[in-house]
Amino acid sequence: MNTTSTDFKIQEALDALGVKNVNLGTSTGVNSFANGPTIDSFSPVDGQKIGSVICTSKDDYEAVMTSATTAFAEWRTMPAPQRGEIVRQFGNKLRVLKEPLGKLVSYEMGKSLQEGFGEVQEMIDICDFAVGLSRQLNGQTIPSERPSHVMREQWHPIGVVGIISAFNFPVAVWAWNTALAWICGDVCVWKGSEKAPLCSIACQNIIAEILKENNLPEGISCIINGDYSVGEMMTSDTRVPLVSATGSTRMGRIVGATVAQRFGKSLLELGGNNAIIITPTADLKVVVPGAIFGAVGTCGQRCTSTRRLIIHESVYDKVKDAIVDAYGQLTIGNPLDEKNHIGPLIDHDSVNTYLAAIEKAKTEGGKVLVEGGVLEGHGYESGCYVKPAIIEAENHFEIVQHETFAPILYLMKYSGVVENAINKQNEVNQGLSSAIMTNDLKEAEKFLSYAGSDCGIANVNIGTSGAEIGGAFGGEKETGGGRESGSDAWKVYMRRQTNTINYSDELPLAQGIKFDL
């Protein structure tokens, strides 16, 4: 197969992950249920074809759903701590395969190698979290107003969980969902991104091996491959009570409406337009790395990427100069070379979107501080490497109000009190992640108060990206309102049931109602 400039042999990683065929199938087992057309996977690192994946046809999908629903009947009866044991084994297998899987993520998606390894570490972390949680799926006992009665609350598995994930985190977001869904007693059907299909094949191979070793049905974990039409099979299917979808706001509107029409549940993780507020007391040693990693990490292709810096006018020039100077130290190139900070965008469509956004910002009156553009020449043959851009802009610019999945950072001023900056931050339709850089306790608390940031994530003296597993992840407004990962996010994967038990010899009614015969 192809070798990059860092002597990375993709076939070695694929072999380690059990992905041995060029034409890879879809679905529950390894390379089964494969009758549709193919998707070719090209690496944005060097433009080379990695392999092809066969898409899921309607007949394939029906076979997947039969396998999943059959498996659910068995899986849900297994005690939750025993399900946790399977997740523990999966996490341990990921520890063994962290290097090849991380390299595949980096090569197929284009993020830096450290970020590829970090994504697999997220998978391991959520497995550890889920294992402990498998002994804590607690309901509660509720006092009853009736004598000799007790009320309690139970949580039960919901069934088949459909997962639609995006290219930018081709393995971690699936794991966030599956690890929790599995310990809750659910089975999963996953449509990974058609832009990184080999990552989903690799993950399926890993869990399929664990299930086989434990004599469990392979339908506990299923994959389907293809474009939006394959996802539509799942979103319109009444056998899938929950669809967890990560992607654009446009996609989320379609998925949410389709699932709601059949009274299903959706967990939506959609776009972000994240800002960092920089106050007069902010420490530049924290501001610069936090802002720059947020803006250029994953080449600006995170939903939590920093899009806007809202800087107090008294420190604006100092912060601007420091950020611009630091951009001059960034290295762009093969993400498998750990000396490089930034890899490529995912594909040429993304490059065109990036270029159009820069031009749009200019026409609206933006002033370019760090010029963008496409890199050419040796090492940039894929045509997907771009330069991170910095543009002075106003918050009301149309382009600033929209999320561009690329390394474009908008700088703007605020004056007066911190509330003015908070209002500016909140004046976008997205509400995922936010941050404030300050050493003023009052400013920090105002930012975190009910009248502060309207985002699902609000950080103090760290950037907007890099969430930990332990906290619930998600956002408000056009970000969709979903929550994944930590805290009590597990509850969305289960159905709640209230029980009332009468252990008396009488039948008193609630609210003191009398019904005598």
Side-chain angles (χ1 to χ4, degrees):
M1 299 293 285
N2 307 304
T3 304
T4 72
S5 61
T6 55
D7 293 328
F8 167 61
K9 295 180 175 60
I10 181 61
Q11 191 59 53
E12 292 180 0
L14 294 175
D15 287 346
L17 297 165
V19 183
K20 299 184 183 300
N21 297 338
V22 173
N23 291 315
L24 304 166
T26 72
S27 187
T28 57
V30 179
N31 305 333
S32 61
F33 302 148
N35 297 304
T38 60
I39 294 175
D40 292 332
S41 176
F42 291 91
S43 171
V45 173
D46 53 20
Q48 298 300 308
K49 179 180 175 180
I50 310 173
S52 300
V53 174
I54 303 176
C55 296
T56 301
S57 68
K58 289 184 178 180
D59 289 342
D60 297 337
Y61 178 78
E62 285 302 316
V64 168
M65 288 304 300
T66 297
S67 179
T69 53
T70 301
F72 175 61
E74 177 179 342
W75 182 241
R76 67 181 176 182
T77 64
M78 180 181 289
Q82 292 184 24
R83 297 193 296 258
E85 167 59 19
I86 302 304
V87 175
R88 186 191 68 82
Q89 293 178 29
F90 178 57
N92 284 345
K93 192 70 172 178
L94 289 172
R95 286 178 167 87
V96 174
L97 296 172
K98 180 177 178 178
E99 182 174 351
L101 184 56
K103 287 182 175 179
L104 176 60
V105 168
S106 179
Y107 187 61
E108 188 172 32
M109 183 268 150
K111 64 176 57 178
S112 73
L113 186 58
Q114 283 301 310
E115 291 182 81
F117 290 151
E119 186 166 348
V120 181
Q121 187 61 49
E122 279 194 75
M123 301 174 75
I124 295 167
D125 292 345
I126 194 62
C127 286
D128 289 350
F129 180 86
V131 172
L133 190 62
S134 68
R135 295 180 181 270
Q136 300 178 68
L137 302 176
N138 304 323
Q140 57 182 329
T141 300
I142 305 166
S144 172
E145 68 184 54
R146 288 168 282 185
S148 301
H149 282 58
V150 65
M151 296 174 65
R152 70 185 184 198
E153 190 174 77
Q154 294 190 96
W155 294 88
H156 297 296
I158 199 171
V160 179
V161 173
I163 302 166
I164 300 173
S165 63
F167 73 87
N168 58 332
F169 281 86
V171 296
V173 171
W174 168 73
W176 288 3
N177 285 273
T178 50
L180 296 186
W182 286 335
I183 60 104
C184 290
D186 302 323
V187 300
C188 298
V189 177
W190 175 27
K191 192 197 97 61
S193 171
E194 61 267 35
K195 297 182 180 182
L198 300 188
C199 286
S200 61
I201 294 287
C203 291
Q204 179 62 21
N205 285 352
I206 297 170
I207 187 58
E209 181 179 343
I210 298 296
L211 296 174
K212 184 177 181 180
E213 290 172 353
N214 288 272
N215 297 313
L216 290 168
E218 62 180 7
I220 291 168
S221 178
C222 312
I223 60 174
I224 54 177
N225 286 317
D227 60 14
Y228 71 93
S229 62
V230 174
E232 286 177 346
M233 298 180 199
M234 189 160 61
T235 57
S236 61
D237 192 341
T238 56
R239 294 170 294 182
V240 184
L242 171 65
V243 175
S244 173
T246 301
S248 68
T249 297
R250 181 193 61 81
M251 178 274 289
R253 283 195 176 97
I254 297 170
V255 170
T258 303
V259 175
Q261 191 170 29
R262 60 177 177 82
F263 297 104
K265 296 201 299 182
S266 57
L267 192 170
L268 302 177
E269 296 288 358
L270 310 175
N273 194 350
N274 316 296
I276 299 177
I277 295 171
I278 302 172
T279 74
T281 64
D283 185 345
L284 276 182
K285 294 192 301 295
V286 176
V287 168
V288 172
I292 293 179
F293 177 73
V296 307
T298 321
C299 202
Q301 297 172 115
R302 293 187 177 208
C303 53
T304 56
S305 290
T306 304
R307 309 291 176 198
R308 298 173 292 148
L309 294 187
I310 304 170
I311 309 167
H312 193 272
E313 60 183 0
S314 66
V315 293
Y316 181 83
D317 288 338
K318 181 172 66 173
V319 172
K320 178 185 70 174
D321 292 345
I323 297 289
V324 169
D325 287 348
Y327 264 53
Q329 302 173 38
L330 295 173
T331 56
I332 307 166
N334 189 324
L336 294 154
D337 183 342
E338 295 188 57
K339 295 192 298 292
N340 292 322
H341 299 103
I342 307 166
L345 290 172
I346 185 65
D347 56 22
H348 294 287
D349 287 341
S350 294
V351 172
N352 292 334
T353 299
Y354 154 85
L355 293 173
I358 293 175
E359 290 307 309
K360 175 69 172 174
K362 290 179 181 178
T363 61
E364 291 193 70
K367 177 184 178 183
V368 176
L369 300 177
V370 175
E371 192 72 49
V374 181
L375 293 168
E376 298 176 346
H378 179 68
Y380 304 124
E381 288 83 0
S382 72
C384 296
Y385 291 88
V386 301
K387 293 182 284 186
I390 300 178
I391 301 174
E392 285 186 317
E394 297 295 337
N395 204 49
H396 66 266
F397 287 2
E398 183 182 1
I399 192 62
V400 175
Q401 289 286 313
H402 292 84
E403 178 187 47
T404 301
F405 234 45
I408 303 173
L409 181 63
Y410 300 110
L411 270 57
M412 57 196 70
K413 295 178 183 178
Y414 81 94
S415 58
V417 295
V418 73
E419 286 89 343
N420 296 335
I422 295 171
N423 291 338
K424 192 181 291 285
Q425 176 207 278
N426 293 344
E427 288 172 354
V428 295
N429 291 327
Q430 308 82 6
L432 178 52
S433 187
S434 59
I436 188 170
M437 300 291 187
T438 182
N439 285 326
D440 186 315
L441 178 61
K442 291 182 179 180
E443 288 183 331
E445 290 296 340
K446 287 178 180 178
F447 178 75
L448 299 176
S449 75
Y450 64 89
S453 171
D454 64 2
C455 296
I457 299 169
N459 298 327
V460 177
N461 291 331
I462 64 170
T464 59
S465 62
E468 296 182 29
I469 286 301
F473 179 91
E476 303 301 325
K477 302 191 291 188
E478 288 190 358
T479 303
R483 292 297 186 275
E484 294 175 326
S485 188
S487 186
D488 64 349
W490 61 271
K491 292 181 178 178
V492 75
Y493 304 97
M494 305 196 82
R495 60 181 177 88
R496 187 194 308 250
Q497 184 182 79
T498 301
N499 312 131
T500 305
I501 302 98
N502 177 8
Y503 58 92
S504 75
D505 297 326
E506 305 295 334
L507 188 62
L509 300 178
Q511 294 85 47
I513 294 173
K514 300 295 183 182
F515 187 76
D516 297 326
L517 294 175

